[in-house]
Amino acid sequence: MASKRKSEGKSEDDKVSAKKPAPFWKTGLLSSMHDPDLQVYKDGKVIIIKDKYPKAKFHFLVMPKDNIPNLKSLKKENIELLKHMHEKGKETAEKSDPDLQFRLGYHAVPSMSHLHLHVISQDFDSPCLKNKKHWNSFTTEYFVDSEDIIKELEKNGKVIKDVSHSQELLKKNLRCHVCRKEMTTIPALKTHIKQHSYKKS
DNA sequence: GTTGTGATCC
DNA sequence: GGATCACAAT
């Protein structure tokens, strides 16, 4: 099991085989977090912005000012920061709509660089929610509750996620996050979930 | 925070 | 035609 590099006689490609620059769009969050028009909160440790493509009536991203790439790079010393992110995210949610249900959590495999905590209302009523991946990334175990991340960090000193399994979650059949009813298409699902209430009890 | 687009399936 | 899938992109 030596090198995994594929060398099928195409010598020109070997020149870039070692490089793996992130796609240009992956860094979009970094510029957006400094966009005054998107910011809804800022303090010494974190910045909260409105998601550019909100997947629900309210959808925010809480990001640490320090560049923490992902969940895997979290250490015990970051526990306080994560709790702070959760607290400020929760405050932003209540400020937006005190009666609406929210979830705070992380994607198992985020598309964008820079650690970001999703704060999203559970109505999922948004024209930006268009496909299966969108739905499953917020309604399956692909969405990991912030509190569970903090617990795992406190217990193990690190956060381990099974990436391979996470990709399968995104392909699961569409299912209502409230009553678990299975729907065949996105439009049918969107019609169905409007019948539920997302107010706090 | 991938979205957008064109091909393909139903 | 509508919805999903597969792939490119500054």
PDB file of all heavy atoms in Angstrom, chain A residues 28-29 51-52, chain B residues 1-4:
ATOM      1  N   GLY A  28     -15.835  31.921   1.372  1.00  0.00           N
ATOM      2  CA  GLY A  28     -16.848  32.976   1.357  1.00  0.00           C
ATOM      3  C   GLY A  28     -17.274  33.450   2.729  1.00  0.00           C
ATOM      4  O   GLY A  28     -17.610  34.620   2.910  1.00  0.00           O
ATOM      5  N   LEU A  29     -17.251  32.560   3.701  1.00  0.00           N
ATOM      6  CA  LEU A  29     -17.695  32.931   5.042  1.00  0.00           C
ATOM      7  C   LEU A  29     -16.798  33.990   5.664  1.00  0.00           C
ATOM      8  O   LEU A  29     -17.269  34.865   6.384  1.00  0.00           O
ATOM      9  CB  LEU A  29     -17.715  31.694   5.948  1.00  0.00           C
ATOM     10  CG  LEU A  29     -18.961  30.826   5.915  1.00  0.00           C
ATOM     11  CD1 LEU A  29     -18.843  29.722   6.937  1.00  0.00           C
ATOM     12  CD2 LEU A  29     -20.183  31.666   6.189  1.00  0.00           C
ATOM     13  N   ASP A  51     -27.388  34.066   7.612  1.00  0.00           N
ATOM     14  CA  ASP A  51     -27.014  33.146   6.537  1.00  0.00           C
ATOM     15  C   ASP A  51     -27.412  33.775   5.201  1.00  0.00           C
ATOM     16  O   ASP A  51     -28.514  34.289   5.049  1.00  0.00           O
ATOM     17  CB  ASP A  51     -27.740  31.812   6.725  1.00  0.00           C
ATOM     18  CG  ASP A  51     -27.191  30.736   5.818  1.00  0.00           C
ATOM     19  OD1 ASP A  51     -27.126  30.958   4.597  1.00  0.00           O
ATOM     20  OD2 ASP A  51     -26.844  29.663   6.330  1.00  0.00           O
ATOM     21  N   LYS A  52     -26.521  33.718   4.266  1.00  0.00           N
ATOM     22  CA  LYS A  52     -26.776  34.339   2.960  1.00  0.00           C
ATOM     23  C   LYS A  52     -27.913  33.649   2.221  1.00  0.00           C
ATOM     24  O   LYS A  52     -28.635  34.279   1.448  1.00  0.00           O
ATOM     25  CB  LYS A  52     -25.503  34.288   2.114  1.00  0.00           C
ATOM     26  CG  LYS A  52     -25.591  35.071   0.832  1.00  0.00           C
ATOM     27  CD  LYS A  52     -24.228  35.093   0.146  1.00  0.00           C
ATOM     28  CE  LYS A  52     -24.314  35.877  -1.168  1.00  0.00           C
ATOM     29  NZ  LYS A  52     -22.997  35.924  -1.849  1.00  0.00           N
TER      30      LYS A  52
ATOM     31  P    DG B   1     -26.728  27.345   5.392  1.00  0.00           P
ATOM     32  OP1  DG B   1     -27.430  27.550   4.605  1.00  0.00           O
ATOM     33  OP2  DG B   1     -26.405  26.282   6.079  1.00  0.00           O
ATOM     34  O5'  DG B   1     -25.935  28.753   4.937  1.00  0.00           O
ATOM     35  C5'  DG B   1     -24.947  28.544   5.191  1.00  0.00           C
ATOM     36  C4'  DG B   1     -24.286  27.626   4.232  1.00  0.00           C
ATOM     37  O4'  DG B   1     -24.049  28.276   3.003  1.00  0.00           O
ATOM     38  C3'  DG B   1     -22.909  27.337   4.739  1.00  0.00           C
ATOM     39  O3'  DG B   1     -22.343  26.365   3.936  1.00  0.00           O
ATOM     40  C2'  DG B   1     -22.318  28.678   4.483  1.00  0.00           C
ATOM     41  C1'  DG B   1     -22.866  29.005   3.102  1.00  0.00           C
ATOM     42  N9   DG B   1     -23.249  30.416   2.882  1.00  0.00           N
ATOM     43  C8   DG B   1     -24.484  30.900   2.616  1.00  0.00           C
ATOM     44  N7   DG B   1     -24.502  32.195   2.463  1.00  0.00           N
ATOM     45  C5   DG B   1     -23.185  32.574   2.634  1.00  0.00           C
ATOM     46  C6   DG B   1     -22.591  33.856   2.597  1.00  0.00           C
ATOM     47  O6   DG B   1     -23.153  34.925   2.388  1.00  0.00           O
ATOM     48  N1   DG B   1     -21.223  33.808   2.849  1.00  0.00           N
ATOM     49  C2   DG B   1     -20.526  32.652   3.121  1.00  0.00           C
ATOM     50  N2   DG B   1     -19.240  32.787   3.367  1.00  0.00           N
ATOM     51  N3   DG B   1     -21.080  31.457   3.167  1.00  0.00           N
ATOM     52  C4   DG B   1     -22.403  31.490   2.912  1.00  0.00           C
ATOM     53  P    DT B   2     -22.730  24.854   3.574  1.00  0.00           P
ATOM     54  OP1  DT B   2     -23.754  24.114   4.289  1.00  0.00           O
ATOM     55  OP2  DT B   2     -21.329  24.613   3.917  1.00  0.00           O
ATOM     56  O5'  DT B   2     -23.100  24.645   2.056  1.00  0.00           O
ATOM     57  C5'  DT B   2     -22.216  24.927   1.025  1.00  0.00           C
ATOM     58  C4'  DT B   2     -22.704  26.104   0.219  1.00  0.00           C
ATOM     59  O4'  DT B   2     -21.716  26.402  -0.731  1.00  0.00           O
ATOM     60  C3'  DT B   2     -24.011  25.844  -0.525  1.00  0.00           C
ATOM     61  O3'  DT B   2     -25.014  26.848  -0.212  1.00  0.00           O
ATOM     62  C2'  DT B   2     -23.687  25.937  -1.991  1.00  0.00           C
ATOM     63  C1'  DT B   2     -22.215  26.252  -2.059  1.00  0.00           C
ATOM     64  N1   DT B   2     -21.549  25.123  -2.692  1.00  0.00           N
ATOM     65  C2   DT B   2     -20.912  25.295  -3.910  1.00  0.00           C
ATOM     66  O2   DT B   2     -20.831  26.378  -4.433  1.00  0.00           O
ATOM     67  N3   DT B   2     -20.389  24.170  -4.454  1.00  0.00           N
ATOM     68  C4   DT B   2     -20.444  22.905  -3.939  1.00  0.00           C
ATOM     69  O4   DT B   2     -19.954  21.963  -4.539  1.00  0.00           O
ATOM     70  C5   DT B   2     -21.106  22.772  -2.663  1.00  0.00           C
ATOM     71  C7   DT B   2     -21.196  21.434  -1.993  1.00  0.00           C
ATOM     72  C6   DT B   2     -21.631  23.880  -2.115  1.00  0.00           C
ATOM     73  P    DT B   3     -26.517  26.609  -0.962  1.00  0.00           P
ATOM     74  OP1  DT B   3     -27.466  27.336  -0.116  1.00  0.00           O
ATOM     75  OP2  DT B   3     -26.691  25.190  -1.268  1.00  0.00           O
ATOM     76  O5'  DT B   3     -26.373  27.392  -2.358  1.00  0.00           O
ATOM     77  C5'  DT B   3     -25.984  28.739  -2.388  1.00  0.00           C
ATOM     78  C4'  DT B   3     -25.753  29.172  -3.833  1.00  0.00           C
ATOM     79  O4'  DT B   3     -24.744  28.332  -4.426  1.00  0.00           O
ATOM     80  C3'  DT B   3     -26.993  29.044  -4.717  1.00  0.00           C
ATOM     81  O3'  DT B   3     -27.115  30.204  -5.526  1.00  0.00           O
ATOM     82  C2'  DT B   3     -26.723  27.798  -5.548  1.00  0.00           C
ATOM     83  C1'  DT B   3     -25.213  27.760  -5.624  1.00  0.00           C
ATOM     84  N1   DT B   3     -24.653  26.390  -5.718  1.00  0.00           N
ATOM     85  C2   DT B   3     -23.757  26.089  -6.725  1.00  0.00           C
ATOM     86  O2   DT B   3     -23.396  26.908  -7.545  1.00  0.00           O
ATOM     87  N3   DT B   3     -23.307  24.794  -6.711  1.00  0.00           N
ATOM     88  C4   DT B   3     -23.635  23.791  -5.821  1.00  0.00           C
ATOM     89  O4   DT B   3     -23.171  22.678  -5.924  1.00  0.00           O
ATOM     90  C5   DT B   3     -24.587  24.181  -4.795  1.00  0.00           C
ATOM     91  C7   DT B   3     -25.018  23.184  -3.778  1.00  0.00           C
ATOM     92  C6   DT B   3     -25.041  25.434  -4.788  1.00  0.00           C
ATOM     93  P    DG B   4     -28.391  30.360  -6.504  1.00  0.00           P
ATOM     94  OP1  DG B   4     -28.656  31.804  -6.561  1.00  0.00           O
ATOM     95  OP2  DG B   4     -29.463  29.423  -6.093  1.00  0.00           O
ATOM     96  O5'  DG B   4     -27.846  29.876  -7.922  1.00  0.00           O
ATOM     97  C5'  DG B   4     -26.610  30.355  -8.406  1.00  0.00           C
ATOM     98  C4'  DG B   4     -26.295  29.727  -9.752  1.00  0.00           C
ATOM     99  O4'  DG B   4     -25.708  28.405  -9.556  1.00  0.00           O
ATOM    100  C3'  DG B   4     -27.506  29.523 -10.667  1.00  0.00           C
ATOM    101  O3'  DG B   4     -27.183  29.962 -11.986  1.00  0.00           O
ATOM    102  C2'  DG B   4     -27.766  28.017 -10.624  1.00  0.00           C
ATOM    103  C1'  DG B   4     -26.388  27.437 -10.326  1.00  0.00           C
ATOM    104  N9   DG B   4     -26.428  26.203  -9.539  1.00  0.00           N
ATOM    105  C8   DG B   4     -27.132  25.975  -8.391  1.00  0.00           C
ATOM    106  N7   DG B   4     -26.941  24.779  -7.883  1.00  0.00           N
ATOM    107  C5   DG B   4     -26.050  24.186  -8.767  1.00  0.00           C
ATOM    108  C6   DG B   4     -25.465  22.895  -8.750  1.00  0.00           C
ATOM    109  O6   DG B   4     -25.611  21.992  -7.922  1.00  0.00           O
ATOM    110  N1   DG B   4     -24.621  22.696  -9.833  1.00  0.00           N
ATOM    111  C2   DG B   4     -24.356  23.622 -10.811  1.00  0.00           C
ATOM    112  N2   DG B   4     -23.531  23.256 -11.781  1.00  0.00           N
ATOM    113  N3   DG B   4     -24.900  24.839 -10.843  1.00  0.00           N
ATOM    114  C4   DG B   4     -25.727  25.053  -9.790  1.00  0.00           C
TER     115       DG B   4
END
